[in-house]
Amino acid sequence: MPRRSDARKCVLQMLYVVDQNPDVDIRWVRSNVEERLADDAVLIDFAWSMYTGVREQCADIDKRITEVATNWRIDRMAPTDRNVIRMGMFEMETIGTPAAVVLNECIELAREFGTEHSPSFVNGILDKFTSKTA
């Protein structure tokens, strides 16, 4: 049975695909979310709200990432890292998941999908963000 961690993984994969291929059809994304989450309506809703929220608020999220990511431009970050950070910021701010949970989940996503440096990079940016907003 899928869990919220699986939903986050799915969202990251869809954000990555759209980040690399902006012309991807939204229906394809939705279909993939539904398929990957085994038609679990609660998880699909969670994933879809996270995916659409990150996409809709991307410019604002990126601006806030830039404020805490000293010496890093969004376009210079690895696509996986920037999308994990976007998800984390959105989930903490909009969905209200506790920061400790989001940090742990994002570090695990960075570990699984990023480079060897991704977990510490993602942790550093999200930690600065949580310190700034606390």
Side-chain angles (χ1 to χ4, degrees):
M1 180 163 158
R3 304 178 336 221
R4 272 194 165 198
S5 295
D6 299 316
R8 289 180 186 95
K9 185 184 299 188
C10 177
V11 171
L12 175 60
Q13 291 169 327
M14 295 301 105
L15 288 170
Y16 180 88
V17 167
V18 172
D19 192 45
Q20 299 302 298
N21 306 291
D23 296 330
V24 170
D25 187 343
I26 191 87
R27 293 173 301 213
W28 179 86
V29 174
R30 177 66 189 211
S31 173
N32 268 277
V33 168
E34 291 172 356
E35 181 180 315
R36 290 171 188 242
L37 297 177
D39 292 324
D40 182 321
V42 172
L43 286 181
I44 290 169
D45 287 346
F46 171 75
W48 192 246
S49 67
M50 178 125 44
Y51 172 81
T52 57
V54 170
R55 294 294 302 151
E56 290 167 0
Q57 297 180 27
C58 194
D60 183 52
I61 293 169
D62 285 356
K63 180 179 177 248
R64 286 180 284 125
I65 291 171
T66 303
E67 291 170 1
V68 295
T70 30
N71 301 319
W72 280 96
R73 293 188 337 250
I74 293 292
D75 63 330
R76 296 284 306 186
M77 292 179 186
T80 300
D81 296 353
R82 71 174 161 247
N83 283 299
V84 169
I85 295 167
R86 287 169 177 160
M87 284 176 52
M89 289 177 73
F90 177 82
E91 188 172 358
M92 282 188 279
E93 286 189 321
T94 307
I95 296 176
T97 305
V101 172
V102 172
L103 282 166
N104 184 55
E105 290 286 329
C106 288
I107 291 166
E108 288 305 313
L109 287 169
R111 184 172 285 120
E112 183 173 349
F113 293 101
T115 68
E116 66 182 275
H117 303 290
S118 294
S120 59
F121 180 72
V122 167
N123 182 43
I125 301 298
L126 288 175
D127 188 53
K128 281 184 182 180
F129 174 73
T130 57
S131 298
K132 183 179 176 186
T133 59

